[in-house]
Amino acid sequence: MQIPGHIDPVTTGTVPLRGGNRIDLVGLTRDAIGGVLVEAGLDAKAAKLRAKQIWHWIYHRGVTDFEAMTDIAKAMRPWLTDRFIIGRPTVREAQVSSDGTRKWLLAAADGQEYEMVFIPDADRGTLCVSSQVGCTLNCRFCHTGTMRLVRNLGAGEIVGQVLLARDALGEWPKGTMAGFGADPEDEDADEDAAGHYTADGRMLTNIVMMGMGEPLYNFEEVKGALKIVMDGDGLALSKRRITLSTSGVVPMMARAGEEIGVNLAVSLHAVSKEIRDEIVPLNRKYGIEQLLQACADYPGANNARRITFEYVMLKDKNDSNDDARELVRLIKQYNLPAKVNLIPFNPWPGAPYECSSPERVRAFSNLIFKAGISAPVRTPRGRDIMAACGQLKSAATKPTRAELDRIAEEKQAALG
Ligand code: SAH
Ligand code: SF4
């Protein structure tokens, strides 16, 4: 897809197969599942019915084995197993923070690694999902931005993170669901398959596209994955519980609102061209005015569904009272239904910044609150396992300052 002003140098390409020659059904639309069933030899009507059933098993029940699909004829299950798989990312490492935050290092079928984080709270549980291995951008305060290796994740690899989290949290519904009992056309199907399904309270209630990568540089795959996550016969998460964070890929923002429709978070982080150019170099391509105009135009934003501005607190860089006042002025100038999320800078090895003092963060927050705009300070979560915002990086090496500069220069050159 050609995007105006789009400079993403990486493509998704063909997502490698996990099951040898078998096709992984995770990440395909219902129609696409029907399509591969037709290609494998089913007639269109049968394929459509089977696609619907398989979809339900994958996304509502979390099943990974065709043998467990009790409403599919017993004879047909090995036929499916021979041709298809329902894959999961490989877990390379699972860590738990002292605050309960969990981080998984995952590997794709080609060995590429990416991370996913689950943040439990009293009233919600948020899964922080990655959209790329690494990131083509190079925000100076972000660990992910120091990764040289980048590839887009496919829709299956993105939605696979949600499926895996549900597995790990033990959150698939138990029992069977009425209406999805034994196959009426199959005398051989399991007899006890009719239903006593209960949907229990869930830990995983929210999703944020705030892991590794810039989601709007991988638009189609992110959109495909989120459509699956929102599908009513499946994971069924409401768009109000999903937030997509962008560093400001202006040309894709309207489409994100129209075609995906989830909440928007924008990594603003600075209010002057000079500072934002330095810390979020994408600003040299899409400046603050353009970005704020795109926010003002974002479909679906209103006072009930406000845009979140993320603002990382960097000592002596972007944290003065004047910065806070300018932030308020800009939000008012563009008449934005906005809230501000102040993120204390999370350190990583070799990072060129320090976090603002707690007093400075508090004063900054107070100034914004006084102007009538909500500006809570985000409590860092999972810092001890490097799971907090901006700390994700799959190959945990400590680059030298010269290497960091070189990577930044290379990425900048690619941006044009
Ligand atoms: N690429 C997207 C989403 C991922 S980052 C984006 O940039 O918006 C999620 C949030 O964490 C962003 O606001 C990002 O700027 C912020 N962040 C990155 N590094 C950080 C760090 N070291 N400390 C605190 N926040 C950081
Ligand atoms: Fe990429 Fe976001 Fe990190 Fe910037 S903050 S380098 S856009 S992941």
Side-chain angles (χ1 to χ4, degrees):
M1 180 190 53
Q2 197 58 41
I3 303 162
H6 182 79
I7 46 73
D8 187 3
V10 295
T11 54
T12 307
T14 313
V15 175
L17 296 180
R18 194 170 278 282
N21 291 328
R22 294 179 295 168
I23 297 172
D24 191 345
L25 299 181
V26 175
L28 301 186
T29 62
R30 233 188 241 92
D31 284 351
I33 295 177
V36 294
L37 292 174
V38 167
E39 269 171 42
L42 292 191
D43 69 56
K45 191 162 164 261
K48 195 168 176 202
L49 169 69
R50 296 306 178 198
K52 187 171 185 287
Q53 292 170 312
I54 291 171
W55 176 280
H56 183 84
W57 284 109
I58 297 178
Y59 295 113
H60 191 84
R61 302 294 302 277
V63 157
T64 53
D65 182 356
F66 294 102
E67 282 303 328
M69 300 186 178
T70 47
D71 58 351
I72 291 182
K74 266 190 181 152
M76 186 174 209
R77 298 178 206 162
W79 183 87
L80 289 167
T81 307
D82 285 346
R83 288 162 181 78
F84 306 106
I85 61 160
I86 300 161
R88 290 287 191 269
T90 304
V91 177
R92 282 268 154 84
E93 200 179 344
Q95 287 174 280
V96 184
S97 157
S98 54
D99 69 18
T101 300
R102 300 168 70 163
K103 181 171 89 167
W104 291 265
L105 173 64
L106 306 175
D110 63 355
Q112 294 277 9
E113 294 179 335
Y114 50 103
E115 295 188 309
M116 144 183 128
V117 176
F118 179 71
I119 308 138
D121 275 305
D123 59 340
R124 67 171 73 183
T126 305
L127 187 70
C128 181
V129 171
S130 290
S131 57
Q132 299 182 308
V133 173
C135 184
T136 51
L137 298 173
N138 57 327
C139 304
R140 294 296 294 211
F141 47 81
C142 174
H143 205 196
T144 309
T146 68
M147 284 176 68
R148 195 176 257 130
L149 203 60
V150 181
R151 125 157 133 65
N152 282 341
L153 292 174
E157 293 169 327
I158 298 168
V159 81
Q161 296 170 60
V162 184
L163 299 177
L164 190 75
R166 277 261 165 101
D167 293 348
L169 298 168
E171 290 215 301
W172 296 107
K174 312 281 186 303
T176 49
M177 184 167 171
F180 280 86
D183 188 341
E185 289 172 19
D186 175 27
E187 290 177 0
D188 208 17
D190 298 350
E191 293 199 345
D192 63 349
H196 34 262
Y197 161 83
T198 57
D200 14 38
R202 292 259 153 79
M203 283 173 77
L204 198 174
T205 58
N206 292 57
I207 289 180
V208 292
M209 295 302 303
M210 294 189 187
M212 293 164 68
E214 167 50 58
L216 294 190
Y217 273 160
N218 186 14
F219 185 80
E220 295 297 341
E221 302 298 320
V222 166
K223 173 180 159 185
L226 291 181
K227 290 270 177 210
I228 292 175
V229 168
M230 292 187 281
D231 189 285
D233 180 27
L235 296 159
L237 243 85
S238 149
K239 64 180 182 179
R240 286 163 209 287
R241 292 189 171 273
I242 303 175
T243 301
L244 183 150
S245 175
T246 180
S247 55
V249 184
V250 167
M252 299 309 295
M253 286 169 59
R255 281 191 64 196
E258 280 154 17
E259 297 176 32
I260 311 177
V262 296
N263 301 322
L264 181 69
V266 172
S267 295
L268 190 60
H269 302 315
V271 289
S272 73
K273 172 166 170 52
E274 191 201 343
I275 303 295
R276 196 162 191 271
D277 275 357
E278 177 192 329
I279 65 178
V280 184
L282 184 63
N283 195 64
R284 299 177 205 168
K285 197 169 179 81
Y286 309 117
I288 294 176
E289 291 76 23
Q290 255 181 302
L291 177 57
L292 295 180
Q293 189 55 50
C295 290
D297 298 339
Y298 187 75
N302 53 45
N303 278 328
R305 286 188 78 198
R306 287 175 293 168
I307 293 173
T308 303
F309 287 106
E310 293 157 289
Y311 199 98
V312 62
M313 298 300 294
L314 304 173
K315 186 175 177 199
D316 298 333
K317 188 48 79 180
N318 64 355
D319 62 351
S320 71
N321 285 348
D322 281 348
D323 289 321
R325 287 190 203 101
E326 178 62 6
L327 180 54
V328 168
R329 193 192 67 75
L330 285 170
I331 289 173
K332 297 209 160 152
Q333 181 191 335
Y334 285 84
N335 201 15
L336 296 169
K339 56 188 168 188
V340 177
N341 223 328
L342 299 176
I343 317 176
F345 170 66
N346 292 307
W348 39 271
Y353 301 109
E354 273 178 64
C355 186
S356 312
S357 70
E359 298 73 41
R360 185 88 295 274
V361 177
R362 184 60 40 218
F364 196 96
S365 167
N366 285 345
L367 268 171
I368 302 171
F369 266 117
K370 275 195 195 118
I373 298 165
S374 167
V377 181
R378 193 186 288 177
T379 311
R381 299 290 302 267
R383 270 186 178 174
D384 55 342
I385 55 167
M386 292 286 286
C389 301
Q391 291 185 312
L392 303 185
K393 178 171 177 177
S394 37
T397 51
K398 182 176 175 181
T400 62
R401 179 53 45 80
E403 277 168 333
L404 284 176
D405 287 343
R406 205 165 51 242
I407 292 168
E409 268 167 33
E410 280 171 16
K411 291 192 172 184
Q412 202 52 45
L415 268 178

